[in-house]
Amino acid sequence: MESARLPGGRINLDKPRYDQSTYWGRAKHFFTVTDPRNLFHAESELDRMKQLLIKYRRGEEPAGTTDEEIWRAKKIFESAFHPDTGEKMFLPGRMSAQVPMNMTITGCMMTFYKTTPQVLFWQWINQSFNAIVNYTNRSGDSPISNRELGIAYTLATSGAISVALGLNYVTRNAPPIIGRFVPFAAVAAANCVNIPFMRKRELAKGIPVTDHDGNKIGESKAAARKAIASVVLSRIGMATPGMFFPPFIMQYLETKAFMKRFPILASPIQVLLVGFCLVFATPLCCAIFPQQSSLNVSHLETELQDIVKAKYGDSLHKVYFNKGL
């Protein structure tokens, strides 16, 4: 069901195409956002889509332009341009690069996990990619400073490597299948460190909360905590299928004659298995929590509750906020 319509039937370019109040509406939206095919559009096409949307906003689009052409232009534009600054984003940091980049990195982390150099290298690569994603998708209103980015990158990398090496040591005498889950534990631990630190300004000062009509009420630390917890859980959820199921499949395949004869196949097979999981897990887990999340007024800070009481009486029960990605 399409929800982004203005009076008169014109498309509202400021809203997602699908109803974001339902899980499947959010899932459809994120399937378009994370579609890897968005990476293959030429620079000239990206610029052409941008100009078409500018003209559509002004009501100056070429005669005969269809709604589907506008939806396609919106999808392509949003895949490449930053929503706040309007600048073209660094290609590896775009949401449409999540599946191909993560399947390669995660597949290799799960293939090369047995020695210290392998752990150091692939955990470093993974956290470097996370830093690129976080920087590319930073808020235009509250930009991440280079210092904050560097500290978050260092902490996440150190945390992931420490967990991976520590668990490798603890599980050194365990069955081989146990060792295959060490990279997942390291990735989960890094997310628990990286995301909160990248958004520590929000935890310290709060994020904007609004009423149901979008009128700003104030900034809430409680909303920030809920937003960041939702993002951490979504990120861990995205990684879970691709890091949980392939180890069992690989453990089985490695008993087969063709794998013993051609062990070099382990890495590409692992990458493909992870990629298959990520194609679905990435958009489906992004959609778990609404982008415009809500919080009961009773859970707000006392001073914000007083503001709501003075302005709305007992008519407002929830406030709304953007949880981020």
Side-chain angles (χ1 to χ4, degrees):
M1 176 181 174
E2 294 177 5
S3 63
R5 292 284 179 177
L6 295 168
R10 285 180 68 81
I11 294 170
N12 185 350
L13 297 179
D14 296 322
K15 298 289 185 181
R17 179 174 186 175
Y18 302 105
D19 183 0
Q20 297 299 285
S21 66
T22 69
Y23 174 76
W24 288 114
R26 297 193 296 273
K28 287 180 180 180
H29 168 67
F30 282 109
F31 268 108
T32 66
V33 170
T34 61
D35 187 346
R37 293 174 297 180
N38 290 331
L39 297 172
F40 298 103
H41 297 295
E43 295 291 308
S44 58
E45 185 175 16
L46 295 177
D47 293 332
R48 186 166 61 84
M49 296 297 102
K50 179 179 181 179
Q51 291 305 313
L52 176 58
L53 294 179
I54 290 173
K55 292 178 180 178
Y56 187 82
R57 283 185 184 276
R58 298 172 180 167
E60 300 172 355
E61 71 275 10
T65 301
T66 65
D67 281 0
E68 277 306 314
E69 288 174 330
I70 297 301
W71 286 128
R72 179 175 181 273
K74 187 175 188 293
K75 172 187 173 183
I76 294 173
F77 171 80
E78 291 178 346
S79 76
F81 292 89
H82 193 281
D84 293 332
T85 66
E87 296 176 356
K88 200 171 291 180
M89 294 184 288
F90 183 47
L91 190 144
R94 298 175 188 173
M95 287 302 292
S96 48
Q98 287 288 296
V99 171
M101 293 296 292
N102 272 324
M103 66 183 280
T104 303
I105 295 171
T106 303
C108 288
M109 276 198 299
M110 295 174 66
T111 302
F112 308 109
Y113 65 93
K114 295 180 180 179
T115 69
T116 298
Q118 290 174 345
V119 170
L120 288 172
F121 179 76
W122 285 108
Q123 291 295 339
W124 169 67
I125 289 291
N126 186 48
Q127 294 310 320
S128 296
F129 173 64
N130 285 342
I132 289 171
V133 172
N134 288 329
Y135 182 77
T136 302
N137 294 280
R138 67 198 183 281
S139 169
D141 296 325
S142 301
I144 302 168
S145 70
N146 290 336
R147 180 176 178 275
E148 290 173 322
L149 187 69
I151 293 174
Y153 169 66
T154 302
L155 287 175
T157 304
S158 301
I161 290 173
S162 298
V163 170
L165 292 178
L167 288 178
N168 268 353
Y169 178 78
V170 170
T171 61
R172 64 191 185 282
N173 296 320
I177 187 65
I178 300 298
R180 291 182 180 274
F181 290 101
V182 168
F184 173 62
V187 167
N191 277 325
C192 292
V193 172
N194 196 349
I195 297 169
F197 193 88
M198 293 295 287
R199 298 176 63 175
K200 68 183 180 67
R201 183 180 302 176
E202 298 174 22
L203 290 171
K205 298 183 179 180
I207 58 176
V209 293
T210 70
D211 61 18
H212 46 74
D213 293 321
N215 300 307
K216 184 177 177 180
I217 297 170
E219 295 187 339
S220 169
K221 298 177 186 177
R225 290 193 294 271
K226 182 177 180 180
I228 292 169
S230 298
V231 172
V232 170
L233 290 173
S234 292
R235 294 279 187 94
I236 293 174
M238 288 178 211
T240 299
M243 301 189 84
F244 181 80
F245 296 109
F248 292 106
I249 297 173
M250 293 304 298
Q251 188 76 6
Y252 170 76
L253 290 178
E254 287 181 2
T255 64
K256 300 302 178 182
F258 80 94
M259 283 293 287
K260 292 179 179 178
R261 186 177 179 185
F262 303 105
I264 196 172
L265 292 176
S267 182
I269 290 176
Q270 186 110 256
V271 167
L272 290 174
L273 288 172
V274 172
F276 177 78
C277 293
L278 284 174
V279 164
F280 300 98
T282 300
L284 292 178
C285 289
C286 280
I288 292 174
F289 302 100
Q291 193 68 34
Q292 280 298 117
S293 296
S294 63
L295 186 69
N296 289 334
V297 170
S298 60
H299 294 162
L300 291 172
E301 294 83 346
T302 302
E303 58 270 23
L304 281 179
Q305 291 188 40
D306 292 341
I307 293 173
V308 171
K309 184 73 173 177
K311 190 173 182 179
Y312 300 93
D314 295 322
S315 64
L316 187 67
H317 303 291
K318 290 185 177 183
V319 294
Y320 301 88
F321 57 91
N322 187 333
K323 74 173 178 64
L325 288 174

